[in-house]
Amino acid sequence: LSHGTSAGGPPSVAGHNLFRLDQLMVQLVGDDEQYAAATALMAHELGFPVRVVMGFAPERAGAAGAIEVLGSDAAAWVEVAVEGLGWVALEPTPTQE
């Protein structure tokens, strides 16, 4: 996982175009939006009903259960329609090391 913003970290080019997603498949370096887009394209090709979801995934709760949501909490993931279950969320992005 790379957002391309950390010093000394692997570079990650922004975008979701075909060239960028092709680079993702070779270099395996990208952000959660790119992993979600690539996974959705593969699932669609296999015939699965799929969608990319953008939202926020905050990890910390403040006083009185309040949750502080920051721009850095923005996230992308994939949901696949499963008969009898509805939309099931999948997290295709590897953990950041």
Side-chain angles (χ1 to χ4, degrees), residues 20-91:
R20 178 59 193 108
L21 295 180
D22 185 55
Q23 283 184 321
L24 176 68
M25 295 295 105
V26 173
Q27 299 170 350
L28 299 178
V29 174
D31 60 26
D32 55 345
E33 292 177 42
Q34 293 161 344
Y35 277 98
T39 300
L41 288 170
M42 289 185 280
H44 176 75
E45 185 66 23
L46 292 170
F48 292 99
V50 62
R51 63 187 178 191
V52 173
V53 181
M54 302 288 295
F56 291 90
E59 295 182 14
R60 56 206 158 270
I67 297 175
E68 181 180 23
V69 179
L70 305 172
S72 59
D73 294 323
W77 59 93
V78 174
E79 291 181 349
V80 176
V82 177
E83 189 174 335
L85 295 176
W87 290 98
V88 176
L90 302 175
E91 175 53 70

Side-chain angles (χ1 to χ4, degrees), residues 1-26:
L1 171 67
S2 173
H3 295 288
T5 58
S6 61
S12 177
V13 179
H16 308 99
N17 60 38
L18 183 58
F19 175 75
R20 178 59 193 108
L21 295 180
D22 185 55
Q23 283 184 321
L24 176 68
M25 295 295 105
V26 173

